[in-house]
Amino acid sequence: MTELVYSDLEVPATVFSMAFHPTEQILAVGCIDGSCSLFRVKALPESSELIFTFKCHNRAVRCLSFTANGDYLLTAGSSQSLKLHSVEHLLAGEDNVTWKKVKAHAAPISAMLYLGGYLVITGDDEGTIKMWNLETQMCTMSVKETNEGITSLAYEPEQAVLCAGGADGYLYVFDLASKELLMISENLDDEQQSMLFISRKDPYLVTGTLEGKINFWKMDQWDLPCNAFHVHPDSVSAIIAVTDELYLTGSSDGLIRVLSFMPNEPLGMIGDHDFPIENLTLNCSKSIVASSSHGDCVKLWDTSFLVEEEEEVEETQPEQLKIVPKKKKRRNNRKKKSKPISQNSRFFSGL
C-alpha cells in the first residue's frame, strides 16, 4: 500500500489544541492568540484547504472538541470561558456562538473531555473539575481535591469512572454516577500529563508522565500503577489510542511513537518534530494523526497501515485457531504479522 503524504498546515500563532471532526476530514486548531482555524484535510497531490479562521477567545485556546454528531465545536482555555459554536456556520465562514459560559472557572481551563451526548468535563489550573450539561446549560458537578492544576482527563463509560491527573503527582478517581470521589492514588512524584482508557478484555488506564514513563492502572486498584515501563527520554505530553492494542505517544524529544498494549512494547516511530510534541489527535477513521509542537505549524501523518494491520490480524485469527486449536496465545500471532508496518519506511527509524 502506498503511504499517503500530507502538506503541513500553517496557523496564525503557536498551536495549543487540536480536534478532528467525528465524520469528516475537518481539523480544528486552537492557538495561543485565541484564534481557531478549520481545515479540510487532503492528501497530496491535493492541498489541504483552510476553511475559516475566527477569534473565539481573548487568550489561548487550550481545549477543543467536536460533539459526537459534529454539529458543534466546544472551545475553552485561558480566558476561563466555555463556548459552543455551530459548525454549520463555521463552515460557511461565520462564527455563531450557540452557548457560552463566561467565567466557567475561576482559573484558566487546562483540560476538557467531551463525554458524549450533552455532557462535558472541564478542569482548571487550580484543581477544580466541573461537569456541564449542554442541553440545560448548567454546571451539574463541581469538585476540588487539589490546589494544583488538572493536567489530563479520561473516562471509562461502562463503570462511569472519571480519572484526572494533577500537577501535584496524584491521580484522582471519581464516580460520575454518584458524583463522588472514589480514591486518590499515592503520590508518584511524577505528573500524569496525558491519559486514556484502553481495553482488550478489561479496561486499563494508561498514563504518560513528566519523567517519560508509561504507567498502567487497573480498575479498582488506584493506589499505585500495576505496571510501568520507561521508553521515552523525557515527558509524554500526548497519548492517543489507535486500536485496543496500539496507541501513539508524543514526547519532548519530538518523536511520535507507536506502542503496543499487552505486551507493552515500543514498536516504532511514524513522525517527528524539531521540538517537543504537545498535541496529537486522530481523524474519525484513525487513518491520519495530526501533531503539533512549539510553533505555528501542524503536521499530518498516515496511520492507515496501523488500522489495516489490526483488521487483517482479526480476520485471520479464527482460521488460525481452527488449524492449531491448542495454541491459545494469540499475541505471538499478532506480533509476527508485521508486513503492513514495514511498508512505512519511517516506522522503525529513530528508536
Side-chain angles (χ1 to χ4, degrees), residues 87-302:
V87 172
E88 180 182 3
H89 285 82
L90 293 177
L91 297 181
E94 61 182 57
D95 183 19
N96 182 288
V97 179
T98 305
W99 171 72
K100 67 178 178 180
K101 181 65 176 179
V102 180
K103 300 297 181 182
H105 282 253
I109 297 173
S110 55
M112 181 171 71
L113 180 65
Y114 174 65
L115 303 184
Y118 299 107
L119 300 179
V120 61
I121 302 289
T122 51
D124 67 30
D125 280 349
E126 295 180 355
T128 299
I129 297 173
K130 294 186 177 184
M131 180 162 65
W132 304 88
N133 187 311
L134 300 178
E135 183 180 34
T136 62
Q137 302 180 1
M138 298 290 291
C139 176
T140 60
M141 182 186 79
S142 181
V143 293
K144 183 178 173 69
E145 298 293 338
T146 176
N147 292 322
E148 300 294 328
I150 301 301
T151 56
S152 52
L153 296 165
Y155 179 61
E156 203 291 304
E158 293 298 320
Q159 299 185 42
V161 168
L162 174 72
C163 293
D168 56 4
Y170 292 97
L171 177 73
Y172 298 89
V173 185
F174 301 89
D175 179 358
L176 286 193
S178 63
K179 301 178 183 177
E180 294 179 351
L181 178 70
L182 286 177
M183 190 169 181
I184 301 176
S185 73
E186 293 187 21
N187 194 300
L188 301 178
D189 293 323
D190 193 6
E191 197 175 295
Q192 310 300 299
Q193 287 196 314
S194 53
M195 61 177 60
L196 59 82
F197 274 100
I198 194 166
S199 174
R200 289 184 65 179
K201 184 177 180 181
D202 300 313
Y204 283 77
L205 179 71
V206 183
T207 62
T209 77
L210 186 63
E211 294 183 355
K213 289 192 297 184
I214 299 293
N215 287 330
F216 301 91
W217 306 75
K218 200 169 184 179
M219 297 291 289
D220 301 324
Q221 296 179 17
W222 300 113
D223 51 340
L224 287 170
C226 64
N227 197 1
F229 77 108
H230 203 152
V231 66
H232 306 83
D234 213 332
S235 63
V236 183
S237 55
I239 187 167
I240 190 166
V242 181
T243 69
D244 288 343
E245 298 181 352
L246 297 176
Y247 58 99
L248 307 178
T249 61
S251 179
S252 58
D253 63 358
L255 300 183
I256 305 172
R257 291 175 172 84
V258 183
L259 296 97
S260 68
F261 175 65
M262 292 189 179
N264 303 316
E265 297 175 345
L267 299 180
M269 183 268 290
I270 62 167
D272 62 272
H273 287 255
D274 293 332
F275 298 100
I277 293 172
E278 297 295 339
N279 296 283
L280 294 174
T281 186
L282 281 163
N283 70 335
C284 55
S285 61
K286 299 188 177 182
S287 60
I288 306 170
V289 64
S291 60
S292 68
S293 181
H294 296 171
D296 56 0
C297 170
V298 173
K299 293 180 178 289
L300 300 162
W301 313 93
D302 182 11

Side-chain angles (χ1 to χ4, degrees), residues 15-35:
V15 178
F16 254 58
S17 55
M18 301 185 297
F20 264 109
H21 190 277
T23 60
E24 299 187 43
Q25 300 287 48
I26 294 173
L27 177 68
V29 182
C31 297
I32 192 173
D33 64 351
S35 67

